[in-house]
Amino acid sequence: MLKELNVSDDAAWKKRFRTTKLGWSAVATQNPERGLVCTNRDGTFQLYAWDVASGNLTQLTHHSGGVVMGIISADGEHVYYLDDKEGNEIGHFVRVPFAGGAPVDITPDMPDYASFYITESHSGNRVGFMAAAQAWGFRVYVLDKTNDKILFTYESQAMSVGPNLSHDGEIAVIATNEKSGSTDMMLEAYDVDSGKKLGELYDGDGISVEPIGFVPRAGDMRYLATTTQTGFARPVIWHPRTGERQDIALPDLEGEITPWDWTEDGSTILLRQVHQAQHQLYLYNIDTATLSKLEHPAGTIGGGYFTHAGEIYINMQDAQQPNRLVAFDMDGQSKGVVLASDDDAPKSTAWQSVTFNSADGTPIQAWLVTPDDGNAPYPTILHTHGGPTAVMTNMYHAGIQAWVDHGFAVMSVNYRGSVTFGKDFEKSILGNLGDLEVQDIEAAVQWLIDEGVAHPDMILKTGGSYGGYLTLQSLGKLPHLWAGGMAVVAIADWTLMYEDQAETLRGYQRSLFGGTPDDMPEQMAKSSPITYAEQVKAPIQIIQGENDTRCPSRQMHAYEEKMNTLGKHIEMEWFNAGHGSREKEMSVRHQELQLRFAYRVLG
């Protein structure tokens, strides 16, 4: 049974949303006393200058739509970020002093562009970034730090990311899907001064090679990447000038193994293992080919790097604790919390990993959270993560816990297309989106009912971004399963979306489908929720951003209009931001809208 709806201002679920959260951190490579932190301590995720010794944070950005991506320069004197409009992720990269001050546009003569990548060489002499626009596709630039003069330009219509720069910026490595046309990437290395291509790291059709970075040492040109030759990501060390490579197979470890950072002398690599959506960190000594396991609490490891002091900084969280930055020594001993929330987060419920088989026998992993009252079967939320090339892990999730507080069970499904379960699992959906994922969702519902967890008449579907897409797709293709659905910043029409979205996402959509809407109109229609609008039976609530360039507004207006014309129950909430809320109070409002909707449709 439903518990009484609690939307009072002091409700525990609201306090979780209002808990100050640490997004990520970084330390200047040549000035370890200075760092950069992304946190929502002022109410919206912004960038903060971090005095590492004292832990003091000074706010640098004040965008109403928030800022969640940026870097600190090697010398710690400046911070770079994309200056966009209300979270639309299109604009110009700017540089602001670490001490605060007016931002300076580093590309004043360029038209606006979309980007999610900027970097600086470890020595700080050169800056590299990616800029995408419909007029030119994808461009990668390297600038001289002293005068912002363009030294190198790479251009392609294929999805391209980079550059990774060697210590002094002599070599630029770029990842591109030019040969595959799919989500599989390869690497190309260029001499920045001459523009000459030095070589490529390409392991053949169906294999993806992903970029990591150079050794942070002058004169050392070894480059770290991953390859899926074995079916799962494994580290590989590449010498772009000579073409030599060293594969690190690690046959005794299951799942995906991703390298994160090198020590300054290039002798040791920090590795993260993800197996069945659970994380474990290791150190790998290259010279001795030995692996050592770090002893750390279970949960999600969102990032890690070596420090000049010989420690390892790791971002950690789990279902019961928000993200915090923890220090470890090289022997794996915890040295304590470096940065954490300023607030005491209300107690949350632990998550349980479960596995069930989809219709064709494919094992599907999911996370299950149930109220601790034991009064099953419960009203149930079936959640799907965004992406699709993402994965749900054991994390602090205020939205999921809000449902549990109100007596709901919640299952979050790592459907086919999710990463870290092997390349075959991830690539199985390519070219035919919204089919196998929906089969996995149907199997999840059946498992919940068979196990006595879910009340069959009280199951609601929810998710954001691609998870919102799967919400609409599931309500149209499996109309008999749902009491209602709630989609956030969702996809409803792949063709209209392609016409309006930023070039970065157009490239990604082409890689998922293997072409454009003009190339495959029938498949785009088959994969679009708007095609199944007539079959929808349950009420739908959609929360959508007006400035979203990932899932633009026009395609959702078209879906809303069709649903209204058909006389379907649809409730729309538009908000003035981009792809989701970066603001605490807006997130609280959106969760309350979903709770009230669920209580209305469940009676």
Side-chain angles (χ1 to χ4, degrees):
M1 298 296 293
L2 292 173
K3 294 183 179 179
E4 182 178 353
L5 177 62
N6 182 2
V7 293
S8 63
D9 199 54
D10 63 349
W13 70 266
K14 290 188 176 182
K15 291 181 180 178
R16 291 189 197 92
F17 275 103
R18 290 169 178 154
T19 297
T20 296
K21 297 179 181 66
L22 173 68
W24 50 263
S25 67
V27 174
T29 56
Q30 301 297 323
N31 188 351
E33 295 303 312
R34 291 184 173 184
L36 182 65
V37 168
C38 180
T39 176
N40 66 350
R41 65 185 297 175
D42 83 321
T44 305
F45 277 104
Q46 305 282 359
L47 301 183
Y48 287 75
W50 171 28
D51 183 273
V52 177
S54 67
N56 291 336
L57 302 179
T58 303
Q59 188 171 343
L60 294 178
T61 62
H62 300 81
H63 280 224
S64 59
V67 179
V68 296
M69 187 273 289
I71 65 165
I72 187 168
S73 63
D75 59 11
E77 293 294 328
H78 294 93
V79 166
Y80 297 86
Y81 64 92
L82 186 72
D83 188 12
D84 66 4
K85 297 174 183 177
E86 298 294 338
N88 72 350
E89 300 179 300
I90 296 176
H92 280 218
F93 279 113
V94 297
R95 179 172 56 230
V96 62
F98 183 85
V104 174
D105 190 342
I106 68 169
T107 57
D109 298 328
M110 288 179 59
D112 286 353
Y113 47 83
S115 185
F116 48 79
Y117 186 89
I118 186 168
T119 190
E120 196 174 279
S121 60
H122 281 88
S123 67
N125 65 330
R126 292 175 174 178
V127 177
F129 66 94
M130 179 269 286
Q134 292 186 22
W136 63 71
F138 289 79
R139 285 180 182 168
V140 174
Y141 295 95
V142 179
L143 309 182
D144 186 318
K145 172 75 175 291
T146 59
N147 55 20
D148 292 338
K149 177 184 176 182
I150 296 174
L151 302 174
F152 171 84
T153 303
Y154 168 97
E155 184 170 330
S156 176
Q157 290 299 310
M159 186 170 64
S160 303
V161 183
N164 284 146
L165 296 174
S166 56
H167 185 274
D168 292 315
E170 312 98 324
I171 300 176
V173 171
I174 296 161
T176 177
N177 72 341
E178 192 156 4
K179 287 190 177 181
S180 74
S182 71
T183 55
D184 291 333
M185 306 296 278
M186 59 170 288
L187 304 182
E188 297 181 350
Y190 291 86
D191 181 277
V192 170
D193 293 315
S194 69
K196 177 184 177 182
K197 183 176 178 179
L198 300 175
E200 62 182 40
L201 191 58
Y202 173 62
D203 282 347
D205 293 345
I207 298 170
S208 190
V209 181
E210 304 285 346
I212 304 297
F214 283 93
V215 176
R217 181 172 62 172
D220 194 335
M221 301 303 171
R222 288 177 296 165
Y223 185 84
L224 193 56
T226 62
T227 177
T228 59
Q229 280 185 322
T230 65
F232 289 84
R234 287 293 187 273
V236 57
I237 298 172
W238 178 44
H239 298 253
R241 289 200 186 276
T242 67
E244 296 175 89
R245 62 184 289 167
Q246 176 186 351
D247 287 270
I248 303 174
L250 303 171
D252 294 332
L253 295 184
E254 297 182 278
E256 302 275 340
I257 311 295
T258 304
W260 271 350
D261 198 14
W262 305 80
T263 51
E264 289 184 27
D265 63 1
S267 67
T268 303
I269 303 171
L270 178 64
L271 303 175
R272 183 187 67 172
Q273 175 195 31
V274 185
H275 178 55
Q276 291 297 303
Q278 302 189 58
H279 292 189
Q280 178 60 51
L281 294 179
Y282 295 87
L283 296 177
Y284 181 79
N285 186 288
I286 298 168
D287 296 332
T288 62
T290 54
L291 190 70
S292 56
K293 182 178 180 180
L294 292 182
E295 298 301 328
H296 55 76
T300 294
I301 314 296
Y305 50 95
F306 295 108
T307 73
H308 288 261
E311 294 181 332
I312 310 164
Y313 281 180
I314 297 169
N315 287 298
M316 306 181 65
Q317 62 176 305
D318 57 59
Q320 297 180 296
Q321 296 183 79
N323 202 14
R324 63 239 183 242
L325 184 67
V326 180
F328 287 82
D329 64 24
M330 294 296 287
D331 293 324
Q333 298 300 310
S334 174
K335 306 289 286 186
V337 176
V338 179
L339 290 172
S341 166
D342 295 330
D343 310 310
D344 292 326
K347 182 183 177 183
S348 297
T349 305
W351 295 10
Q352 174 189 0
S353 177
V354 300
T355 303
F356 54 87
N357 287 336
S358 196
D360 61 358
T362 300
I364 304 297
Q365 188 273 340
W367 295 99
L368 179 65
V369 196
T370 59
D372 54 14
D373 57 18
N375 293 326
Y378 302 103
T380 299
I381 301 293
L382 199 292
H383 172 268
T384 44
H385 63 74
T389 47
V391 60
M392 176 58 81
T393 56
N394 180 6
M395 63 185 297
Y396 190 82
H397 199 298
I400 285 178
Q401 188 60 42
W403 294 110
V404 179
D405 285 0
H406 284 87
F408 286 78
V410 182
M411 174 179 275
S412 186
V413 180
N414 280 317
Y415 51 85
R416 272 174 282 189
S418 302
V419 298
T420 75
F421 295 91
K423 212 60 182 175
D424 289 346
F425 189 93
E426 176 187 337
K427 293 167 66 175
S428 61
I429 69 169
L430 297 184
N432 186 29
L433 275 60
D435 186 5
L436 292 178
E437 309 97 298
V438 172
Q439 291 183 32
D440 298 342
I441 290 166
E442 183 176 24
V445 171
Q446 191 60 54
W447 185 91
L448 287 165
I449 294 171
D450 291 345
E451 294 294 317
V453 175
H455 191 296
D457 299 325
M458 303 179 75
I459 302 174
L460 298 100
K461 176 73 189 69
T462 192
S465 192
Y466 198 85
Y469 158 67
L470 291 179
T471 296
L472 301 183
Q473 189 80 336
S474 297
L475 266 71
K477 295 184 74 173
L478 304 171
H480 59 288
L481 291 184
W482 313 106
M486 298 147 289
V488 182
V489 293
I491 302 161
D493 186 321
W494 286 103
T495 297
L496 291 181
M497 188 170 87
Y498 186 83
E499 293 175 3
D500 295 350
Q501 67 188 339
E503 185 61 27
T504 47
L505 275 299
R506 284 162 61 98
Y508 182 56
Q509 183 171 330
R510 291 194 298 270
S511 73
L512 291 174
F513 279 96
T516 70
D518 289 339
D519 299 327
M520 45 187 58
E522 293 181 359
Q523 183 58 55
M524 293 284 180
K526 178 177 181 289
S527 294
S528 293
I530 197 168
T531 301
Y532 308 97
E534 291 187 24
Q535 298 173 201
V536 174
K537 294 181 179 179
I540 293 178
Q541 177 193 72
I542 300 174
I543 301 173
Q544 200 81 6
E546 295 171 341
N547 306 317
D548 194 346
T549 58
R550 301 193 196 189
C551 302
S553 60
R554 184 165 67 104
Q555 51 100 28
M556 192 54 70
H557 282 298
Y559 184 80
E560 178 187 15
E561 181 180 352
K562 183 168 184 178
M563 291 286 285
N564 283 328
T565 299
L566 292 169
K568 304 293 185 178
H569 183 149
I570 182 170
E571 301 179 15
M572 288 294 309
E573 173 73 14
W574 292 93
F575 63 95
N576 185 29
H579 194 63
S581 171
R582 299 169 180 172
E583 180 184 340
K584 291 179 184 179
E585 293 308 315
M586 186 181 288
S587 297
V588 170
R589 170 171 166 73
H590 290 170
Q591 183 62 47
E592 183 171 330
L593 285 170
Q594 292 178 71
L595 284 165
R596 290 185 180 276
F597 174 84
Y599 271 67
R600 286 197 303 275
V601 301
L602 294 180

